Amino acid sequence: MAPQYKLTYFDVPGMAETCRYLFSYGGIEFEDVRIKQENWPQVKDKMPFGTVPTLEHNGKVVDQSLAIARYLAKKVKLVGDNEWENLEIDATVDTINDIRQKIIAVFLEKDDAKKKALIEAVKKDTFGFYLPRLEAEVQKNKGYLVLGRLTWADFYFTTLSRVFDVVSGEDVLASYPNLKGVREKVNALPSIKKWNEIRPKTSH
Amino acid sequence: MAPAYKLTYFDGRGVAEAARFLFKYGEVEFEDVRVKRDDWPQLKEKTPFGQLPVLEHNGKQIGQSISICRYLAKVVKLTGNDDWENLEIDATVDTINDLRQKISAAHWEQDAEKKKKLRETLLNETIPYYLQRLEAQAQKNKGYLVLGHLTWADMYFTSGGTGFDQFVGSNTFDKYPTLKALREKVEALPAIKKWMEARPKTEF
């Protein structure tokens, strides 16, 4: 029988990897569809708003990576015990997403000189601003980002942090032992360790 | 007795107006704190991540406008009946936010040449792309954005209407009659109508 869920994205971790982690963590079978760049133009028009990832389930298709991740997090019980706790997780996820949006600008910049300047700005104003504050959150939360235990915010941070070093050319989390600890803890989970071994090899 | 909730933002609608709409709709008392530009630098340091809005409740502070809205939506019962329905609402809210960010980028661009180009793309491509699809979605949902009934997605969408008219042009929605009717429907809800009349008239 075909898996109940189909996740469609490009052949990279990117915005879909948190969802892939959540599926793996929960032992939920999913069809991991990876679009080739040359096929994207045709696929794009079939998507609700021309974006991926999308999740297909029971004949319905939805988009928006974080909305999908939140849904999966509920399925695999990596959420809060009440609405305020879920707000705390959501707010941390949004903050991590703010970091992501600032990093994206670097990848989109074509001009070398401007790119170099953007990288310096990211190191100073993005990593330099957000990471110390997130580091402090982890110290207050027994080695996790929120609620003193594993939540989907830790998964999102872990998958995004892959690109920190790609952007800056440095080991960004070297100065943030607690954040580094979150990533190591998540990647050491048996289900995640297995996923990282079997997943298609991509550049990062 | 002081209200249970305090919402702090600048003196404008901006990304806090959706939360205000939800408070008013649900008749949940809140302290509507508006920070003056001059007072912002000192206050900034005291916020979780140097941003507004911030919601304060039971001595805890949390940022991130959309996550605050998702929490309030649960309090005022404008959510779905299960996780998938909430995913559908979340995805639509995120999509509207994507559009909002693109409009914002065009609006706040300082370079006159770039701004002109951004605005052209916005008016000729981006806005039609999103609004055509949202129009079709609302037609399939009895005039609401999701689930065939009022949800916080409709509040989120409508609360941004005044700003949209200001930045983009108030005739835009003439081409999208279902969306126009939705805005009018939400704006006609007694609590929302009263709020829109009573709220401070602001630049943004």
Side-chain angles (χ1 to χ4, degrees), chain A residues 36-176:
Chain A
K36 295 200 200 316
Q37 280 296 135
E38 57 262 30
N39 295 334
W40 174 233
Q42 300 103 285
V43 175
K44 187 179 162 81
D45 282 336
K46 300 200 181 95
M47 297 315 188
F49 287 85
T51 62
V52 281
T54 56
L55 180 71
E56 200 176 313
H57 176 58
N58 288 346
K60 292 190 168 190
V61 179
V62 272
D63 59 4
Q64 294 293 352
S65 58
L66 294 182
I68 295 168
R70 184 177 302 106
Y71 167 82
L72 294 174
K74 291 171 191 172
K75 288 263 160 288
V76 307
K77 302 192 186 346
L78 282 180
V79 291
D81 290 335
N82 57 52
E83 304 312 352
W84 186 268
E85 289 195 349
N86 281 322
L87 168 54
E88 290 190 41
I89 299 172
D90 281 351
T92 294
V93 164
D94 287 349
T95 297
I96 297 165
N97 196 48
D98 286 348
I99 297 173
R100 183 191 65 81
Q101 291 196 317
K102 294 187 163 50
I103 293 175
I104 289 288
V106 173
F107 288 110
L108 295 175
E109 181 54 61
K110 304 290 174 213
D111 178 285
D112 269 338
K114 283 194 184 150
K115 192 168 179 136
K116 247 184 134 200
L118 272 178
I119 291 174
E120 287 313 304
V122 163
K123 282 174 18 181
K124 180 163 161 281
D125 302 327
T126 305
F127 294 151
F129 179 84
Y130 284 99
L131 297 186
R133 285 163 176 75
L134 290 174
E135 176 81 359
E137 287 302 302
V138 176
Q139 280 173 330
K140 280 189 282 178
N141 279 287
K142 303 186 191 145
Y144 299 96
L145 277 162
V146 204
L147 304 183
R149 59 175 165 84
L150 187 69
T151 68
W152 66 285
D154 300 301
F155 278 24
Y156 187 40
F157 178 78
T158 299
T159 57
L160 181 67
S161 71
R162 297 181 121 98
V163 297
F164 289 173
D165 300 356
V166 173
V167 159
S168 68
E170 301 171 350
D171 179 6
V172 174
L173 294 189
S175 333
Y176 304 100

Side-chain angles (χ1 to χ4, degrees), chain A residues 64 70 83 90 94 98, chain B residues 64 67 70 74 90 98 129:
Chain A
Q64 294 293 352
R70 184 177 302 106
E83 304 312 352
D90 281 351
D94 287 349
D98 286 348
Chain B
Q64 296 294 352
S67 291
R70 186 176 302 104
K74 293 168 192 171
D90 279 352
D98 284 349
Y129 186 90

Side-chain angles (χ1 to χ4, degrees), chain B residues 180-196:
Chain B
K180 183 172 180 168
L182 173 61
R183 274 184 64 177
E184 287 166 0
K185 198 160 29 204
V186 173
E187 288 173 1
L189 293 167
I192 301 299
K193 186 166 188 284
K194 188 168 168 208
W195 169 243
M196 288 180 75

Side-chain angles (χ1 to χ4, degrees), chain B residues 116-128:
Chain B
K116 196 161 170 262
K117 277 209 180 120
L118 281 174
R119 197 175 160 80
E120 268 170 30
T121 307
L122 192 70
L123 293 176
N124 297 331
E125 292 171 28
T126 314
I127 287 173

Side-chain angles (χ1 to χ4, degrees), chain B residues 16 22 26 29 35 37 48 57 72 74 80 97 99 107 127 129-130 132 140 145 150 154 175 195 203:
Chain B
L22 288 165
E29 259 200 276
V35 175
R37 289 263 166 225
H57 178 59
L72 291 174
K74 293 168 192 171
N97 187 48
L99 175 60
H107 179 76
I127 287 173
Y129 186 90
Y130 279 92
Q132 279 165 17
K140 282 188 280 183
L145 281 169
L150 187 71
D154 303 302
K175 292 197 205 96
W195 169 243
E203 197 193 309

